[in-house]
Amino acid sequence: TNETSQDSTTISATIYKFRRLSQAEIATYVDTEPVYTWAAAFSPGNSSAIKFIDYVKGPFSTFVYSMPFEKLMPIFKKEGVI
């Protein structure tokens, strides 16, 4: 055990909602995007599907990168990582 290390715990939730999609939009998306590459066939940072999102509630970085940078940066600074 390293005596200088400390545990940090935080929770970040991001909720997003898709708008209602037509069958044609879904078919085009599945035919043109690497849907098997992403969990839930969707990656907001690398996808044309961003136009399907109705709203996002929560940290945008968590939505796009699955990492709550708004919460991580203070922890990194406190621990001297950055």
Side-chain angles (χ1 to χ4, degrees):
T1 306
N2 184 344
E3 292 180 27
T4 61
S5 68
Q6 295 180 344
D7 290 336
S8 294
T9 302
T10 187
I11 296 172
S12 181
T14 299
I15 298 168
Y16 56 93
K17 180 184 178 225
F18 282 85
R19 64 175 174 76
R20 186 168 298 276
L21 305 176
S22 70
Q23 289 298 317
E25 287 176 309
I26 294 169
T28 299
Y29 178 72
V30 169
D31 289 343
T32 60
E33 294 287 337
V35 296
Y36 294 111
T37 305
W38 305 315
F42 173 71
S43 173
N46 301 309
S47 174
S48 64
I50 196 76
K51 64 187 175 194
F52 301 151
I53 301 298
D54 189 32
Y55 66 80
V56 176
K57 292 181 182 178
F60 189 69
S61 67
T62 304
F63 172 66
V64 176
Y65 303 110
S66 300
M67 290 291 251
F69 291 115
E70 295 88 348
K71 293 188 177 198
L72 288 174
M73 296 308 286
I75 294 170
F76 290 161
K77 287 179 181 176
K78 178 182 169 192
E79 296 298 324
V81 175
I82 55 171

